[in-house]
Amino acid sequence: MNDAPHNWEGFLRPDGRKGVRNLVLVIYTVECAQFVAHAVAHGESDVHVIGFPGCYDNAYAIRLMLALARHPNVGAVLSVGLGCEYTQPGKLAEVVRQSGRPAEWFFIQEAGGTAKGVARGKELLARLRGEAAAAAKRVPMTLRDLTVGCECGGSDGTSGLAGNPVVGAFFDRLVDAGGTAIFEEIVEMIGLRDILHARAANDEARAQVTAAYDKAVAYCQGVRQYSASPGNFAGGLTTIEEKSMGAFAKSGSRLIQGVIKVAETPRSPGLWLMDSVPDAHFMQFGYTNPNDTEGIMDLISGGAQIVLFVTGRGSVIGSPVAPLIKITGNTRTYARMTDDMDFNAGRILSGECTLAAAADELRDLVERVAAGESSKPEKPGYPEYFVLYKHPSTPSLQTGCRA
C-alpha cells in the first residue's frame, strides 16, 4: 500500500475551509413547510433537504441549521418557511449570505400556497445552482484538509472487535497526516473515566473530558437508561462497560485535544470528542442520540466533510450534506446488505487481512469519496435527517436568528 499523501480537488469556501461536495441545501423552518421543501428538491441533483419541525424556536436547532448551511460542502442555501413560525427563513438566508454563499428564502403563504410555493422554490433553486457553480473554486486537497466524524449504531460483538478498531486505526493515520477526527457518543463511554483521562492531551482537555463524562453519567442515571438496546444484546454484547470499550475503540490511540459541542468546529487539527448530551434546563427537554441520524448530523455540524458509520447488525440510513461511509465488522452483515455497506472490516476477524492493511484500505476509500466517488448511502438520493428540541448551553447564540 502506497503511504504517500494523495491529492484530489475540493471546493474552497470564503472561510478557508475546503468542501468535498458543492451542494445546494434546502432548509425548512417548520414542519408545515416540509412537503413544499421536499417537492422543491425532488428530481434535482446535488440538492439536499434538512428542516426543523418545531413552530417555537430552539437554540440547538438554530445553531445546527446555521452550521449545516455554512458547511464546507454547501455552496448555496434556499430557506423555506410557512409564515407563522418563530424560526425565520429570512434570518437564516441573511447569515448564510454573510458567509459569502448565495442564499434565497420565501414564505409559502406569501407565494400563494403549495403549488405556487413549489414553483417559486424551483425558480430560486435554478438560480442558486448556477450561482453556486459559478462561485465554486477548485483547489487541491489532502488528508490534512479533512475533518472526519465517526458514529456507531446497531452494534454487535464485531463492532468492538473489528468495525470500530479499523476506524480508530484510520483516525490515527488521519491525525498523523495533519487532519481532524471527531468522535462522540460519550454515553457509550460509561465506565471509561480513567481511560479518557489518560488520553487527554493536557490539563485543559482533561478538565473538559471530565466534565463531559460526569454529565453523561448523571444524564444516564437521571433518565434511568444506559446506551444499550435489545439489538446490542442479540448481537452478543452483555454489559454497558463491554459496549463502552468497543465504542471507544473508534477513537484510535492519539491524544484527545479537547471537547466540542454541537455546531462547534474543532479549534485545531487532531482528535476531538463531541459532547451532544443535553445540559441542565428548567424544561428538562432533549435526548442524547435518540437515533443514529441525530448523532450523524451533530458530527456534520462540527464541520465533518465525511462521516464514518460503524454497524455490526446493519443499517440503511444515509445523511445530508456530508457523504456517509458505512462500515461493518460482521462479514455476514456485509454479504446480506452489500448494497448498503461500503466496507467489510470482518475480514480482520477471519484473518483475510490485518488491522493495519484494512485501515490503509479505509483511508483509500475515504480519499476516493472525498474526490467525488459516491458512497453507497449517497446513491439512493434520499438522505435522512433529524433535528429535535434540545438544550446544550454552549456555544452562545451570537449570530443566530434571534441575536
Side-chain angles (χ1 to χ4, degrees):
M1 191 69 62
N2 183 8
D3 289 328
H6 298 165
N7 294 275
W8 63 89
E9 282 196 331
F11 300 90
L12 181 64
R13 303 304 178 193
D15 64 3
R17 292 185 295 172
K18 300 176 183 179
V20 300
R21 298 291 185 269
N22 194 36
L23 304 170
V24 178
L25 185 62
V26 177
I27 302 176
Y28 62 86
T29 53
V30 68
E31 184 66 15
C32 311
Q34 69 90 7
F35 175 82
V36 169
H38 279 278
V40 168
H42 181 69
E44 305 284 350
S45 61
D46 294 329
V47 177
H48 288 185
V49 179
I50 65 166
F52 176 53
C55 190
Y56 293 97
D57 63 356
N58 173 253
Y60 160 83
I62 292 171
R63 283 195 291 259
L64 183 67
M65 289 188 289
L66 286 174
L68 295 179
R70 297 176 291 181
H71 190 277
N73 290 351
V74 172
V77 172
L78 173 62
S79 189
V80 182
L82 175 63
C84 308
E85 64 272 27
Y86 270 83
T87 305
Q88 295 292 295
K91 289 289 187 179
L92 290 175
E94 179 184 332
V95 173
V96 172
R97 291 191 192 108
Q98 290 171 2
S99 77
R101 293 165 175 79
E104 297 288 349
W105 70 277
F106 69 95
F107 281 132
I108 298 167
Q109 292 170 342
E110 295 178 0
T114 300
K116 292 178 180 177
V118 173
R120 175 62 173 158
K122 290 283 189 183
E123 174 189 337
L124 293 173
L125 196 61
R127 182 193 310 168
L128 288 169
R129 178 184 279 111
E131 292 177 0
K137 182 178 180 181
R138 303 306 300 267
V139 292
M141 288 185 72
T142 66
L143 283 176
R144 72 165 41 246
D145 300 303
L146 277 185
T147 298
V148 180
C150 183
E151 177 95 0
C152 56
S155 301
D156 67 6
T158 70
S159 296
L161 295 172
N164 286 323
V166 77
V167 171
F170 162 72
F171 269 4
D172 287 350
R173 287 157 172 73
L174 176 64
V175 169
D176 291 347
T180 306
I182 308 173
F183 70 109
E184 64 138 8
E185 300 173 292
I186 194 167
V187 292
E188 295 186 4
M189 297 170 205
I190 302 302
L192 307 187
R193 195 175 194 271
D194 292 344
I195 296 174
L196 283 163
H197 272 212
R199 288 277 302 280
N202 50 51
D203 289 342
E204 181 181 5
R206 192 168 297 108
Q208 293 173 4
V209 168
T210 299
Y213 177 87
D214 291 345
K215 185 182 73 171
V217 172
Y219 171 86
C220 291
Q221 292 171 340
V223 301
R224 301 180 184 179
Q225 174 73 46
Y226 289 87
S227 185
S229 70
N232 296 153
F233 300 140
L237 296 173
T238 61
T239 65
I240 185 60
E241 290 84 3
E242 186 177 37
K243 186 177 181 183
S244 293
M245 289 296 293
F248 189 60
K250 65 177 173 282
S251 68
S253 63
R254 300 302 182 256
L255 296 177
I256 300 169
Q257 300 302 310
V259 176
I260 57 173
K261 291 292 193 80
V262 175
E264 277 191 310
T265 56
R267 296 176 283 279
S268 65
L271 178 68
W272 291 82
L273 171 62
M274 174 174 279
D275 171 19
S276 61
V277 177
D279 290 314
H281 189 273
F282 73 94
M283 290 183 68
Q284 296 182 342
F285 63 83
Y287 289 92
T288 184
N289 300 106
N291 54 54
D292 296 328
T293 296
E294 188 265 350
I296 290 168
M297 292 191 70
D298 288 345
L299 288 167
I300 298 171
S301 78
Q305 299 110 317
I306 291 174
V307 174
L308 308 179
F309 183 74
V310 181
T311 175
R313 295 175 59 80
S315 174
V316 296
I317 61 172
S319 67
V321 179
L324 190 68
I325 296 175
K326 282 190 280 196
I327 300 157
T328 182
N330 191 321
T331 297
R332 285 181 294 181
T333 296
Y334 184 81
R336 186 174 64 250
M337 302 182 68
T338 186
D339 292 336
D340 294 284
M341 299 292 108
D342 291 282
F343 191 86
N344 179 17
R347 294 170 297 140
I348 299 168
L349 300 179
S350 65
E352 296 173 59
C353 67
T354 64
L355 176 61
D360 287 338
E361 288 184 26
L362 181 57
R363 178 197 61 195
D364 291 344
L365 175 59
V366 168
E367 289 177 339
R368 295 200 308 272
V369 170
E373 179 180 313
S374 293
S375 68
K376 289 182 180 178
E378 283 187 284
K379 292 176 182 177
Y382 300 102
E384 287 84 0
Y385 57 90
F386 187 69
V387 182
L388 74 163
Y389 281 97
K390 200 171 181 178
H391 180 69
S393 60
T394 56
S396 62
L397 186 60
Q398 296 177 345
T399 58
C401 291
R402 300 186 70 184

